[in-house]
Amino acid sequence: VSATAAPAGLVIVGANGRMGQSLLRVLPGFPGLRLHAALGRPGSGAAGRDSGELAGLPANGVPVSTDLAAALPGAALVLDFSVAEAAGSHVRICAAARLPLLLGATGLGPEVGRAVDEAAPHVPILVAPNTSLGATVLRELVRRAAGRLGSGYDVGIQDLHHRAKRDAPSGTALSLGAAVLEGSRTPRPVGYASLRGGEAAGQHEVCFLGEGESLRLGHNVTDRAVFARGALRAGLWLARQAPGRYEMADTIEEK
Ligand SMILES: NC(=O)c1ccc[n+]([C@@H]2O[C@H](COP(=O)([O-])OP(=O)(O)OC[C@H]3O[C@@H](n4cnc5c(N)ncnc54)[C@H](OP(=O)(O)O)[C@@H]3O)[C@@H](O)[C@H]2O)c1
């Protein structure tokens, strides 16, 4: 007789934001996960309100709370889609509680990178500026193109996002730029251009501009549920891993 494993307790940080609400809406499609806690900004007007209702769902009985450390006992996995400014502290709190963390917030400074390095020996931690499958594969293609085309091609990366996005270039654009450097033999300049406006969930294009030809590799997300499902899938994967620092490419399998 095999016992069915209980769903893993999920903590969503930034639960009242665009991504947080999208995560709450797609969560019912993931029977391996149950909502354990929904975190909002300390001082937020959403505190104490039912997180399901805030996402336009039936009440789920999990109110928005604001003390991450206090919310962690009994949880199995944390997804952080809040703000860069709070990410370093969230990393340290999750590491102290020995809980796997998917860091989806972007615009992260070097201080967060150091916090991640310090946390990685103790917990599985996934820095994921873009949790979509398409952007994860795009990164691999860009690395390959950079190596094949070489320094005779100039590289420019453009991102288009909704008007409320705080960071520019986007975390995805910077990650694609890093992929260009990973694929290049020598350091090379990468240009960035960011457009902000309307409601675009996330559009990226990497242009390799040569003499007489150009190669453009792009990706477009029309529904942020794509990020949310990708994050829950990657989170389930992360919760099974040994401590260490991971990236989205580690989480996908060949089909
Ligand atoms: N990895 C990916 O695939 C992906 C995809 C899309 C977006 N993102 C990134 O995810 C982050 C969130 O994006 P979004 O569009 O959902 O932004 P958003 O709508 O502004 O949501 C952020 C939420 O975090 C809350 N918050 C702020 N400080 C907090 C704290 N210290 N603790 C807990 N919650 C806090 C905010 O509350 P208040 O509104 O009350 O301040 C807000 O509800 C951004 O960094 C964005 O770039 C990543």
Side-chain angles (χ1 to χ4, degrees):
V1 182
S2 69
T4 309
L10 172 68
V11 176
I12 299 176
V13 186
N16 187 38
R18 275 174 293 266
M19 275 303 299
Q21 294 189 8
S22 186
L23 285 162
L24 288 165
R25 287 192 286 266
V26 302
L27 186 56
F30 290 77
L33 292 168
R34 65 169 173 84
L35 185 64
H36 176 79
L39 273 293
R41 177 177 51 81
S44 164
R49 294 182 58 194
D50 186 275
S51 58
E53 285 181 350
L54 285 168
L57 300 165
N60 59 18
V62 180
V64 173
S65 60
T66 59
D67 182 344
L68 179 58
L72 295 184
L77 170 67
V78 181
L79 305 188
D80 184 354
F81 282 87
S82 61
V83 289
E85 294 77 4
S89 140
H90 295 163
V91 169
R92 283 187 287 274
I93 290 169
C94 291
R98 298 293 188 261
L99 275 183
L101 169 66
L102 184 154
L103 196 48
T106 63
L108 308 176
E111 182 251 344
V112 181
R114 286 191 290 275
V116 169
D117 288 340
E118 282 168 23
H122 309 293
V123 287
I125 183 159
L126 172 57
V127 181
N130 193 313
T131 51
S132 73
L133 179 59
T136 305
V137 174
L138 173 63
R139 203 180 183 287
E140 297 180 351
L141 298 175
V142 165
R143 188 192 296 128
R144 173 103 170 129
R148 288 296 203 177
L149 293 172
S151 57
Y153 290 71
D154 299 320
V155 187
I157 302 177
Q158 181 168 293
D159 78 276
L160 167 64
H161 283 88
H162 56 90
R163 57 175 75 90
K165 183 160 178 67
R166 293 162 66 128
D167 49 326
S170 70
T172 305
L174 294 172
S175 170
L176 291 168
V180 169
L181 298 182
E182 286 164 23
S184 304
R185 281 188 196 188
T186 50
R188 63 198 292 188
V190 175
Y192 294 93
S194 298
L195 298 175
R196 294 288 174 266
E199 298 185 331
Q203 197 171 311
H204 293 87
E205 187 173 44
V206 182
C207 305
F208 293 88
L209 307 168
E211 284 181 27
E213 68 167 355
S214 64
L215 173 66
R216 292 162 189 268
L217 300 171
H219 178 247
N220 184 28
V221 171
T222 54
D223 181 350
R224 58 176 58 79
V226 166
F227 298 130
R229 282 191 294 270
L232 293 178
R233 218 173 279 133
L236 278 167
W237 176 90
L238 187 69
R240 298 193 304 269
Q241 305 310 310
R245 181 175 182 154
Y246 299 94
E247 57 183 85
M248 277 303 292
D250 299 321
T251 74
I252 60 175
E253 291 163 9
E254 290 298 324
K255 296 197 177 63

